[in-house]
């Protein structure tokens, strides 16, 4: 005889229900209710297939279909009562289906297990996130292209070690991020293509003796094909890890850009003005406009990469096939996905709103002896000097300018000639920042012409 408190799904083997602590550690309904729509889509596909293959009757399948739609609308309208005793979304839905349609509900789990069910649900959910990430990245790339095009020939300092290095163009700097987010886009698309195999029908781990049609369920759920090994199908969480890997790298790129925006919007730089819409004030310092959105974007990589590490650790020691450890796959991925989408959207808004300060960028571009390399190159090109010697002569001129507290173009010709007698007035042409950037015509260089070519290439890619 079965204890009435034991589980209605497997009570046959049990004499007592679970301890309260057991229920607390075991239940996933608190978070996996986010998989409700995917769970019901999977069940509908499974039910239709069971009828098409003659495993269940058409009338049972029809009852399941109607019933599942009813359950879905109850959930969507917030009228569904989730039960912790029913552990997870799969059993919550099935139990409610039983209440709605009665006996036919009991046939839904034919040739299926929660193991292939959860793998399918979670894959469908992650696939949606990959699609959302793709859309977010495309929008951000388009916003960056607008910024790049508007300031394709605006000059600004380029940095290494955050020390002034050489002048670059604003457009070039924006396009550097287009390349990064473009690779993120590629990673997201790769992951989606690789993950798109359907676990449903793998059953608990070994497949099933029922004559199921896995091609049919795979197709109904938008998968390219059924997964080819049932053991792998129920134990694979690579798809979630690939999503987290791609998300981590993307979040890292977002973080670097956010860091630049924090620096650029400071009073010491004033390279960009961020909009009020993406800034906050201080409760005590009236002058403050803080780049909080950028700072939060910068921080998001912590939790997103944390999720990546956490799931790797959950998976690394698990023997095949399913272990309950794998229930721990979801919360981290949910959190990472939510925060990635938020960070992408916030960056998108900030980029669209931000106003680069052309005059400040240009003034800073010439400071810090940024055209010293151009001067050395001139000595090589015009006077035929070996580069190492040119580097030394230029170093002496920089030291002289530093002593005088001026920039390189402000040294007189006599002063220059005191370091090297053959220098003539044409040297001043290369000391200007606009000439400097215009001369960097190598493929992928910062010359406005090169930058415009890259903008055109990206526009073509996006069409
Ligand atoms: N809630 C479970 C999970 O998220 C569903 C699969 C349970 N499978 C099992 N054999 N107990 O992983």
């Amino acid at each position: 005889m079965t204890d009435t408190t034991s589980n209605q799904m497997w009570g046959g083997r049990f004499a007592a229900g679970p301890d309260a602590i057991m229920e607390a550690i075991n239940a996933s309904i608190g978070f996996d209710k986010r998989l409700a729509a995917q769970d019901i889509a999977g069940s509908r596909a499974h039910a239709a297939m069971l009828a098409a293959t003659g495993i269940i009757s058409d009338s049972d399948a029809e009852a399941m279909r109607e019933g599942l739609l009813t359950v879905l609308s109850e959930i969507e309208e917030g009228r569904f009562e989730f039960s912790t005793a029913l552990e997870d979304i799969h059993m919550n839905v099935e139990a409610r289906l039983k209440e709605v349609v009665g006996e036919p509900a009991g046939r839904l789990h034919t040739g299926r297990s929660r193991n292939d069910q959860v793998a399918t649900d979670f894959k469908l959910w992650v696939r949606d996130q990959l699609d959302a990430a793709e859309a977010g990245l495309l929008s951000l790339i388009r916003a960056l292209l607008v910024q790049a095009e508007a300031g394709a020939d605006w000059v600004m300092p380029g940095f290494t070690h955050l020390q002034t290095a050489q002048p670059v163009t604003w457009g070039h700097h924006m396009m550097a991020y287009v390349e990064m987010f473009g690779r993120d886009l590629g990673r997201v698309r790769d992951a989606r293509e690789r993950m798109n195999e359907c676990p449903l029908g793998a059953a608990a781990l070994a497949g099933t003796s029922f004559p199921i049609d896995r091609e049919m369920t795979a197709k109904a759920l938008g998968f390219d094909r059924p997964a080819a090994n049932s053991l792998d199908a129920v134990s694979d969480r690579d798809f979630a890890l690939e999503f987290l890997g791609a998300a981590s790298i993307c979040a890292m790129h977002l973080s670097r850009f956010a860091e630049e925006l924090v620096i650029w919007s400071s009073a010491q730089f004033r390279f960009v003005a961020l909009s009020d819409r993406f800034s906050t004030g201080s409760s005590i310092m009236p002058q403050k406009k803080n780049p909080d959105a950028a700072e939060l974007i910068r921080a998001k990589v912590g939790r997103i990469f944390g999720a990546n590490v956490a799931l790797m650790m959950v998976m690394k020691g698990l023997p095949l096939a399913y272990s309950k450890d794998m229930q721990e796959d979801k919360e981290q991925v949910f959190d990472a996905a939510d925060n990635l989408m938020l960070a992408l959207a916030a960056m998108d808004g900030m980029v669209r709103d931000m106003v680069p300060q052309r005059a400040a960028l240009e003034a800073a571009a010439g400071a810090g002896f940024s055209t010293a390399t151009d001067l050395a190159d001139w000595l090589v090109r015009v006077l035929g000097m070996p580069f190492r010697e040119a580097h030394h002569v230029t170093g002496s001129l920089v030291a002289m300018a530093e002593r005088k507290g001026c920039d390189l173009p402000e040294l007189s010709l006599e002063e220059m000639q005191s370091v090297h007698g053959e220098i003539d007035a044409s040297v001043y042409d290369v000391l200007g920042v606009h000439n400097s950037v215009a001369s960097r015509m190598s493929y992928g260089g910062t010359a406005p012409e090169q930058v415009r070519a890259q903008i055109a290439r990206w526009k073509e890619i996006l069409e």
Side-chain angles (χ1 to χ4, degrees):
M1 211 186 70
T2 315
D3 185 307
T4 48
T5 58
S6 70
N7 190 291
Q8 57 171 292
M9 302 289 170
W10 57 69
R13 194 218 182 287
F14 282 67
D19 188 90
I21 301 289
M22 177 58 196
E23 196 172 288
I25 195 173
N26 198 39
S28 55
I29 188 62
F31 48 88
D32 68 14
K33 59 174 132 196
R34 282 188 77 167
L35 301 177
Q38 289 76 10
D39 193 70
I40 288 170
S43 288
R44 286 183 56 195
H46 185 66
M49 180 278 291
L50 289 176
T53 50
I55 298 168
I56 63 170
S57 69
D58 286 344
S59 62
D60 279 351
E62 183 49 28
M64 288 174 196
R65 200 186 75 85
E66 295 270 312
L68 286 165
L69 288 174
T70 302
V71 176
L72 180 62
S73 56
E74 287 176 358
I75 293 174
E76 282 174 351
E77 289 157 23
R79 291 185 284 118
F80 190 96
E81 250 179 69
F82 292 102
S83 149
T84 311
L86 288 167
E87 210 181 304
D88 58 24
I89 186 63
H90 324 295
M91 298 206 291
N92 268 269
V93 169
E94 194 185 319
R96 179 67 189 134
L97 185 66
K98 178 104 191 288
E99 288 171 2
V100 176
V101 306
E103 204 238 64
R107 301 184 196 280
L108 177 59
H109 217 50
T110 314
R112 173 177 93 163
S113 152
R114 278 189 297 154
N115 296 349
D116 59 339
Q117 199 179 350
V118 72
T120 305
D121 294 3
F122 195 32
K123 250 194 183 182
L124 290 171
W125 195 89
V126 170
R127 195 174 71 186
D128 284 348
Q129 301 308 307
L130 288 166
D131 290 343
E134 175 176 18
L137 280 163
L138 282 169
S139 180
L140 176 56
I141 288 171
R142 292 205 167 89
L144 285 162
L145 285 172
V146 171
Q147 286 285 359
E149 195 158 33
D153 57 0
W154 295 10
V155 288
M156 66 180 284
F159 300 92
T160 61
H161 316 266
L162 197 56
Q163 307 288 320
T164 301
Q166 293 172 352
V168 296
T169 46
W170 169 259
H172 198 48
H173 204 118
M174 292 300 106
M175 291 305 289
Y177 283 104
V178 167
E179 293 293 334
M180 288 176 246
F181 294 125
R183 289 192 296 276
D184 292 334
L185 188 63
R187 271 181 281 274
V188 162
R189 286 173 171 167
D190 282 354
R192 192 194 194 287
E193 175 155 359
R194 197 163 21 254
M195 66 103 75
N196 208 28
E197 296 185 340
C198 186
L200 196 59
L205 75 167
T208 174
S209 58
F210 291 99
I212 59 170
D213 182 349
R214 293 195 57 207
E215 293 285 346
M216 182 180 167
T217 43
K219 195 163 168 243
L221 295 169
F223 288 104
D224 295 328
R225 64 192 81 84
N229 182 298
S230 61
L231 288 167
D232 175 48
V234 293
S235 18
D236 164 35
R237 292 295 180 273
D238 298 7
F239 63 90
L241 287 165
E242 281 201 50
F243 167 65
L244 292 175
S248 295
I249 297 175
C250 177
M252 175 275 291
H253 287 148
L254 287 167
S255 181
R256 292 185 73 174
F257 192 16
E259 165 68 359
E260 296 208 302
L261 294 180
V262 170
I263 295 172
W264 292 353
S265 61
S266 70
Q268 288 68 28
F269 275 74
R270 295 187 195 281
F271 284 6
V272 293
L274 300 178
S275 74
D276 290 357
R277 302 196 317 146
F278 288 95
S279 308
T280 60
S282 159
S283 54
I284 176 169
M285 297 166 283
Q287 86 284 9
K288 290 297 283 290
K289 187 166 146 187
N290 294 326
D292 291 36
E295 294 166 276
L296 288 162
I297 291 169
R298 189 172 58 187
K300 293 298 185 194
V301 65
R303 60 204 290 176
I304 293 171
F305 188 59
N308 193 1
V309 174
L311 185 53
M312 282 292 261
M313 291 306 104
V314 167
M315 296 306 296
K316 78 166 185 67
L318 299 185
L320 302 188
Y322 179 87
S323 297
K324 197 60 175 268
D325 309 50
M326 289 161 74
Q327 180 165 287
E328 291 282 312
D329 59 0
K330 292 169 209 60
E331 284 166 288
Q332 301 272 356
V333 175
F334 291 163
D335 184 75
D338 291 345
N339 283 286
L340 179 69
M341 303 319 154
L342 199 50
L344 279 168
M347 186 57 94
D348 189 277
M350 274 203 305
V351 171
R352 279 168 204 278
D353 281 11
M354 76 181 176
V355 182
Q357 305 294 299
R358 186 178 186 171
L361 289 165
E362 178 151 353
F369 315 112
S370 66
T371 53
T373 313
D374 299 86
L375 173 53
D377 287 351
W378 183 90
L379 293 168
V380 170
R381 212 170 39 244
V382 179
L383 303 184
M385 228 180 245
F387 183 78
R388 280 292 151 226
E389 191 188 335
H391 187 290
H392 190 81
V393 170
T394 306
S396 306
L397 288 165
V398 167
M400 176 186 280
E402 202 162 35
R403 273 197 308 279
K404 292 192 59 202
C406 68
D407 272 313
L408 280 175
E410 286 148 34
L411 290 176
S412 68
L413 188 56
E414 292 71 53
E415 285 167 330
M416 295 228 192
Q417 287 170 340
S418 74
V419 173
H420 194 279
E422 287 174 57
I423 297 177
D424 65 54
S426 71
V427 74
Y428 288 101
D429 291 344
V430 301
L431 296 181
V433 288
H434 285 282
N435 287 338
S436 169
V437 295
S439 73
R440 299 238 151 45
M441 271 297 288
S442 51
Y443 177 80
T446 200
E449 214 180 308
Q450 286 296 328
V451 172
R452 290 197 178 100
Q454 293 303 327
I455 294 171
R457 182 175 69 84
W458 269 101
K459 281 182 165 175
E460 212 164 283
I461 291 171
L462 295 182
E463 257 167 31

